[in-house]
Amino acid sequence: EIVEETPVEIGERNIVYHQGPAKLRWDGLVGCLIMYSVLLVPVQIGFNRYAKYCGFWPCEPVAVVDFIVDIFFGADLIICCRTSYFDEEEDALITAPKMIFYHYFVGWFWVDFLSVFPFDLVISAAMGAATGDSASGEEDGESAVFSFTKLIKVARLLRLLKVVRLAKLSKYLIQLEDMIGVNPVTFDLLKMTMDVVFIGHMLACLWWYLTDGVISSRSESWAAESLVDLLPPDGGNAPLNQQYVASLY
């Protein structure tokens, strides 16, 4: 059914108007959180610097920020289920809840859901319960710990799905360009600079991730040579900023 509605009438039906001022401000906030997430997650995985949780609750400042960001992403998932969209084929604004949900469900829903769901925390909690149940058998306990440790590593790699949200950032940047009226050439240069920085950041994290086992064993490698004067004699690790700079260059 085709009807004419104002943004106010759309809001009265608990539908979010996709070009409303509140939605644009929310998209700006989510865009900033996406930038934070795509920069932080590769560092956590590549340099094995995961935030500490006590069960499902954060135990340190970085974990608290990470937890809050996930809450915002979860809220964005719910909002997207109720956000109108423009159908170019029908040349009409779609505000029907079922059509909105279906459009989101077959599009970005699964990426958003998998990037928000705390797989590593769930598996860690299950590992704690399983190792507790198998404490009576030492061999079974060690086997369970080994199996769940591998699962945790796989689950943590799933956090890279947060990086896929970077594709959404391009949509937010287009909206930002329309709002502030920046010269297109200047804006394209800014986006190109961001792409170069992001690619360099990802390669630095990937490079360290692939060589982490060699570094920890103190065997000959580019990283061991780069950090030979920085590695503590007792077998510890160099500070994160020095590891990152060595891997980046």
Side-chain angles (χ1 to χ4, degrees):
E1 181 180 359
I2 300 178
V3 297
E4 292 186 1
E5 288 183 302
T6 65
V8 175
E9 292 173 335
I10 294 174
E12 290 175 349
R13 297 194 293 110
N14 296 322
I15 299 297
V16 180
Y17 181 49
H18 69 292
Q19 291 186 339
K23 183 61 168 65
L24 294 178
R25 287 194 294 270
W26 174 261
D27 288 345
L29 173 61
V30 172
C32 293
L33 296 179
I34 289 175
M35 284 295 298
Y36 168 81
S37 183
V38 299
L39 292 176
L40 178 66
V41 170
V43 172
Q44 290 179 330
I45 295 176
F47 294 87
N48 196 26
R49 300 298 179 96
Y50 298 100
K52 295 181 181 179
Y53 283 79
C54 301
F56 285 96
W57 304 106
C59 298
E60 59 183 12
V62 175
V64 172
V65 175
D66 202 20
F67 185 75
I68 293 174
V69 169
D70 285 340
I71 290 177
F72 274 97
F73 283 156
D76 184 59
L77 186 150
I78 297 173
I79 291 174
C80 287
C81 291
R82 303 288 297 182
T83 300
S84 64
Y85 69 95
F86 187 81
D87 191 328
E88 295 183 356
E89 294 183 358
E90 298 292 337
D91 193 25
L93 178 67
I94 306 300
T95 61
K98 291 183 178 179
M99 296 180 66
I100 290 174
F101 179 76
Y102 179 77
H103 178 263
Y104 180 53
F105 186 79
V106 299
W108 284 97
F109 174 82
W110 290 107
V111 172
D112 290 346
F113 174 77
L114 292 176
S115 66
V116 170
F117 190 82
F119 289 99
D120 50 342
L121 298 182
V122 172
I123 292 178
S124 296
M127 182 181 70
T131 53
D133 293 339
S134 59
S136 57
E138 184 177 350
E139 294 184 358
D140 292 340
E142 292 178 355
S143 176
V145 170
F146 179 73
S147 299
F148 278 114
T149 300
K150 292 192 295 183
L151 284 176
I152 288 178
K153 290 182 179 179
V154 174
R156 285 174 172 172
L157 288 176
L158 289 175
R159 292 174 63 86
L160 284 174
L161 284 172
K162 291 180 182 290
V163 178
V164 181
R165 280 177 169 264
L166 192 65
K168 274 191 168 183
L169 191 61
S170 61
K171 179 183 69 174
Y172 299 145
L173 289 176
I174 293 174
Q175 294 177 351
L176 180 63
E177 183 180 7
D178 294 337
M179 288 176 58
I180 62 180
V182 179
N183 187 310
V185 176
T186 303
F187 207 80
D188 289 342
L189 180 61
L190 176 62
K191 290 192 291 186
M192 185 181 300
T193 303
M194 291 175 59
D195 290 340
V196 172
V197 171
F198 176 71
I199 292 173
H201 176 71
M202 289 293 294
L203 289 176
C205 297
L206 176 63
W207 197 243
W208 192 273
Y209 178 79
L210 294 176
T211 59
D212 185 47
V214 178
I215 297 167
S216 60
S217 64
R218 296 295 197 276
S219 55
E220 295 182 0
S221 70
W222 67 269
E225 293 176 358
S226 300
L227 300 175
V228 63
D229 297 328
L230 303 174
L231 293 173
D234 58 355
N237 293 318
L240 175 60
N241 61 329
Q242 295 171 347
Q243 291 179 347
Y244 182 83
V245 171
S247 184
L248 183 63
Y249 287 97

